[in-house]
Amino acid sequence: MGLGRIVCIANQKGGVGKTTTAVNLAACLAQRGYDTLIVDLDPQGSASSALGVVTSTGTTSTYEVIVQEAALASALVRMAPNDHLWLLPASRDLVGAEIELVPLVAREHRLSEALREVRERFAYILIDCPPSLGLLTLNGLTAADSVLIPVQCEYFALEGLSSLQRTIDLVRRRLNPALEVEGLLLTMFDTRNTLSHQVAQEVRRHFPGLVYATVIPRNVRLSEAPSHGQPIIAYDPASKGALAYQQFCDEFLAPKPTPAKSLAAQVERRE
Ligand code: ADP
Ligand code: MG
């Protein structure tokens, strides 16, 4: 099953649900039998710890792979009991990568090149980006077939999406012309909050055709699961959060009518 679609989960805002989406979408895909790899590209290592993987300095991790060219295959961790879920963990060493990458040859292509050797082994590779538009995120976008953008349903949700859009357009011009926008996922939606409804409406108006119908609700079980080192479908499979990520997985897997190429193109069409 070597489709090897690489999806970069990015938004330079912190706390919008990137890691939660990476871990839980990956777990849903793996549960359905798709060999799935999560690449933890955040020095905070939240995706790794959400899966119960503790790294220390010296563990072969994303840092060794992209900075020191360690073999990626040797760094992969299998997430028992699910045979189909794998992780490339991050350690604190990755903090230095933003600076250490600067003088290196093909500095934006390091992850892309490293993934080449394992791509065929996986159906999906999900990259969990840090909350910045620095070299790590550029590596994620350069390696990816598409970018998935979680958007938190709160005030200022749209703020920052224009600089993300500029970065995506820059990557398409200079580094990865084939990069598509996978879609925007509304997260932490609060049904009882008028603001949540307004924000969701506004995001859909700005990005017609790019926002998933599935909305991830604010759900306390989703925020508890990482401290148990489990994805939500293992921690509480009947919770609203688990059902929402399963539904999102259905939508993610459904064939798309027209591949969305660029946020800008969509916006221009509307104007
Ligand atoms: P990011 O990776 O974008 O920084 P996270 O996925 O880590 O964001 O989410 C930020 C915080 O919000 C985490 O503590 C996470 O557990 C919590 N969280 C994420 N999604 C939800 C949700 N739908 N409902 C409740 N809490 C959530
Ligand atoms: Mg994160």
Side-chain angles (χ1 to χ4, degrees):
M1 204 165 17
L3 168 68
R5 184 165 176 82
I6 305 179
V7 180
C8 180
I9 302 178
N11 186 332
Q12 75 277 24
K13 272 197 183 184
V16 299
K18 288 182 291 298
T19 301
T20 305
T21 298
V23 166
N24 291 303
L25 174 60
C28 291
L29 288 166
Q31 190 190 51
R32 295 168 195 215
Y34 293 101
D35 289 314
T36 304
L37 169 64
I38 302 175
V39 173
D40 192 347
L41 196 53
D42 185 348
Q44 295 284 338
S46 323
S48 308
S49 62
L51 289 166
V53 173
V54 183
T55 54
S56 52
T57 306
T59 319
T60 311
S61 62
T62 316
Y63 172 83
E64 285 75 12
V65 169
I66 65 172
V67 179
Q68 300 175 341
E69 299 184 30
L72 195 148
S74 70
L76 296 182
V77 183
R78 186 174 221 156
M79 296 290 97
N82 188 316
D83 278 352
H84 299 286
L85 187 60
W86 294 78
L87 171 74
L88 172 62
S91 68
R92 292 298 298 172
D93 292 334
L94 200 55
V95 176
E98 287 287 357
I99 292 161
E100 289 174 51
L101 282 169
V102 173
L104 300 186
V105 173
R107 59 190 185 186
E108 294 96 352
H109 295 271
R110 314 283 291 194
L111 180 62
S112 173
E113 280 162 19
L115 285 173
R116 209 171 289 163
E117 65 168 297
V118 300
R119 186 168 190 163
E120 292 303 304
R121 284 172 53 183
F122 296 99
Y124 292 98
I125 298 176
L126 306 184
I127 304 172
D128 185 28
C129 284
S132 79
L133 293 174
L135 271 174
L136 286 171
T137 296
L138 286 178
N139 263 271
L141 292 170
T142 302
D145 296 304
S146 67
V147 52
L148 170 58
I149 306 166
V151 179
Q152 190 183 350
C153 293
E154 48 127 46
Y155 204 59
F156 297 135
L158 285 169
E159 200 181 66
L161 285 182
S162 56
S163 46
L164 179 57
Q165 179 179 305
R166 275 194 300 279
T167 302
I168 292 169
D169 290 341
L170 175 87
V171 168
R172 296 184 72 228
R173 277 200 308 281
R174 299 287 174 86
L175 299 164
N176 179 10
L179 182 67
E180 293 175 2
V181 174
E182 187 72 39
L184 280 71
L185 175 66
L186 296 166
T187 63
M188 298 185 226
F189 186 85
D190 183 351
T191 331
R192 292 157 305 174
N193 187 338
T194 331
L195 182 64
S196 263
H197 291 275
Q198 284 168 354
V199 169
Q201 225 172 28
E202 183 81 339
V203 175
R204 290 191 193 282
R205 197 167 61 78
H206 265 79
F207 301 103
L210 278 185
V211 186
Y212 288 101
T214 306
V215 170
I216 307 298
R218 190 172 276 287
N219 175 239
V220 71
R221 306 299 270 168
L222 277 172
S223 59
E224 290 167 2
S227 59
H228 297 263
Q230 288 183 320
I232 191 68
I233 55 169
Y235 177 64
D236 187 352
S239 63
K240 285 207 166 107
L243 299 178
Y245 273 106
Q246 291 283 19
Q247 190 188 327
F248 171 54
C249 185
D250 293 339
E251 199 180 350
F252 176 84
L253 288 170
K256 291 188 185 53
T258 45
K261 290 283 184 204
S262 145
L263 289 181
Q266 293 288 329
V267 176
E268 276 156 23
R269 209 171 297 162
R270 190 177 64 88
E271 283 165 359

